[in-house]
Amino acid sequence: MSKTDLRPALSRMLPYTPGEQPPPGKFIKLNTNENPYPPPPSVVSAIRDAASGPLNRYPDPTATVFRRAAAEVLGLPGPDWILAGNGSDEILTILVRGFVGEGQKLRLPYPSYILYRTLADIQGASWEQIPFLDGWHLPAMFGEGDNDLRLVLLPNPNSPSGTVVPAEQIEQLAASLPCPLVVDEAYVDFADFNCLDLVRRHDNILVTRTLSKSYGLAGIRFGFLVAQPSLVAKLSNIKDSYNCDYLATVAATAAIRSQEWLKDVVTKMNATRARMESQLTEMGFNVTPSHANFVWCQHPSGRHADLHQFLKKHQILIRYMDFPDWGDGLRISVGTDQQSDACMMMIERFLQSL
């Protein structure tokens, strides 16, 4: 055994593979669910002003200015209901680290966000995938108890499907589960409802959010948790000391205060999403109605991998996803109307060649 070998569990794990990130400007990029529009102008102004600030000092370790602004915007009782993080991925890491010990279990639906499994593997924990039923419905067993179960993660809206589990069912799940239920709301601004009210009523319902999608801050890395204050205080003890840098906190604060901008951009992107769904359906795809900023679709030809490569050859990136024991398909992020139309045109050209 080498002196530099990692723990055996880490040498066996499969790492999470993020979407391809090409050099800027060379591709129409519809593969990683980023916002195609620049962030609110107030964000850029805030970053410029902050750049002449105290960059030689450590940042506020709890991102107080953001938590106060977010609590006000989201209608929460106070900033003590919020834990800020370096993207919602760090928040998920903190949750798995805090609740799931070695040999214990994490549960997730399948197909969904594969990072959940990676976080369990890093922890030396096990993970249990519960497959969605037809129509992307959760089976009753998703809410069943288990002696080893310590955490349940539920992306809502889900990726890759863009589907949602109703709030009433989430409340029922929380009541039956013996552990915290984390509702990952990375895409919730594009949906018709959220679960923040459930956090007030149930101490085992937690909500995670990110500013990477709807707010156009994927390059900043800022996310947060909404949970009851006693739990936020406990989780704060295990986060990194200065997990949110000064510029990111300033940018996130300006973004969360830009609610009119958010409303306008979400309305625009949801309209583009509806057009994409209609166009793909007309081309013969089976399209799952989406509540997120992407569309999941499958074609009867089954030529998803070939279509993905054809689009890449023509400098358009989408996400080809293959789920063992489930099937494959294409996840296409919502771009601008011009970007989305260019993608649809090239998809039609590919299908005409079959």
Side-chain angles (χ1 to χ4, degrees):
M1 183 174 180
S2 169
K3 293 182 178 180
T4 57
D5 282 348
L6 300 178
R7 289 187 288 116
L10 298 181
S11 63
R12 294 191 298 267
M13 65 174 279
L14 294 176
Y16 172 73
T17 303
E20 186 175 355
Q21 297 289 344
K26 292 189 175 183
F27 285 82
I28 293 177
K29 195 167 180 300
L30 305 176
N31 64 327
T32 50
N33 303 338
E34 295 142 326
N35 194 319
Y37 300 102
S42 60
V43 170
V44 179
S45 297
I47 292 174
R48 285 199 184 105
D49 292 342
S52 60
L55 299 183
N56 58 320
R57 303 296 185 188
Y58 287 113
D60 174 2
T62 61
T64 304
V65 64
F66 170 81
R67 292 187 300 113
R68 286 175 177 164
E72 180 179 350
V73 167
L74 300 176
L76 298 170
D80 53 344
W81 288 69
I82 296 173
L83 174 66
N86 180 15
S88 60
D89 285 352
E90 191 208 13
I91 294 296
L92 294 169
T93 300
I94 290 171
L95 291 169
V96 174
R97 183 189 301 167
F99 287 110
V100 191
E102 187 171 354
Q104 295 176 334
K105 185 185 296 182
L106 177 154
R107 178 179 293 165
L108 62 147
Y110 181 76
S112 68
Y113 192 20
I114 302 302
L115 178 69
Y116 302 152
R117 304 188 327 198
T118 303
L119 296 178
D121 288 339
I122 292 171
Q123 191 76 352
S126 64
W127 43 264
E128 176 185 45
Q129 294 184 149
I130 306 295
F132 281 104
L133 302 174
D134 290 344
W136 296 93
H137 300 295
L138 281 178
M141 65 184 299
F142 193 81
E144 293 178 355
D146 185 308
N147 290 336
D148 294 325
L149 186 63
R150 292 296 182 270
L151 189 67
V152 175
L153 299 174
L154 176 65
N156 207 49
N158 182 52
S159 178
S161 62
T163 53
V164 292
V165 176
E168 297 80 7
Q169 185 177 359
I170 290 174
E171 196 164 25
Q172 293 169 1
L173 288 170
S176 62
L177 288 167
C179 64
L181 170 61
V182 177
V183 185
D184 183 353
E185 292 190 338
Y187 304 101
V188 77
D189 288 320
F190 303 99
D192 297 327
F193 73 94
N194 63 63
C195 292
L196 291 182
D197 284 344
L198 300 185
V199 177
R200 292 172 179 258
R201 300 201 298 267
H202 302 274
D203 61 1
N204 70 322
I205 295 182
L206 294 67
V207 166
T208 60
R209 294 275 185 95
T210 178
L211 276 71
S212 296
K213 314 301 183 183
S214 54
Y215 288 94
L217 293 182
I220 290 293
R221 309 307 302 136
F222 200 97
F224 60 98
L225 170 76
V226 179
Q228 294 195 8
S230 60
L231 183 54
V232 169
K234 294 175 184 176
L235 292 170
S236 296
N237 293 331
I238 60 174
K239 74 174 185 66
D240 291 343
S241 302
Y242 303 101
N243 60 329
C244 297
D245 70 68
Y246 174 59
L247 294 180
T249 301
V250 166
T253 304
I256 201 76
R257 288 175 172 158
S258 302
Q259 291 301 298
E260 284 303 315
W261 177 93
L262 176 67
K263 181 180 178 181
D264 290 343
V265 167
V266 167
T267 298
K268 190 187 311 182
M269 292 180 66
N270 282 353
T272 304
R273 181 186 70 197
R275 289 176 64 247
M276 291 171 59
E277 291 176 332
S278 177
Q279 291 168 317
L280 288 165
T281 299
E282 289 176 3
M283 286 187 278
F285 283 87
N286 177 23
V287 180
T288 302
S290 176
H291 299 264
N293 67 331
F294 55 82
V295 174
W296 173 253
C297 58
Q298 297 166 301
H299 195 267
S301 69
R303 299 282 295 277
H304 305 123
D306 293 337
L307 175 52
H308 169 261
Q309 289 300 318
F310 174 83
L311 291 175
K312 184 175 180 179
K313 180 180 177 182
H314 289 84
Q315 297 187 308
I316 299 174
L317 293 180
I318 63 174
R319 192 76 182 263
Y320 168 70
M321 307 183 85
D322 187 7
F323 296 96
D325 302 319
W326 182 270
D328 66 348
L330 300 170
R331 194 191 69 188
I332 309 174
S333 303
V334 175
T336 64
D337 283 342
Q338 183 179 13
Q339 292 169 340
S340 298
D341 286 346
C343 180
M344 296 300 111
M345 182 181 69
M346 294 307 298
I347 290 175
E348 188 170 24
R349 182 182 298 182
F350 173 82
L351 294 176
Q352 290 171 348
S353 69
L354 296 181

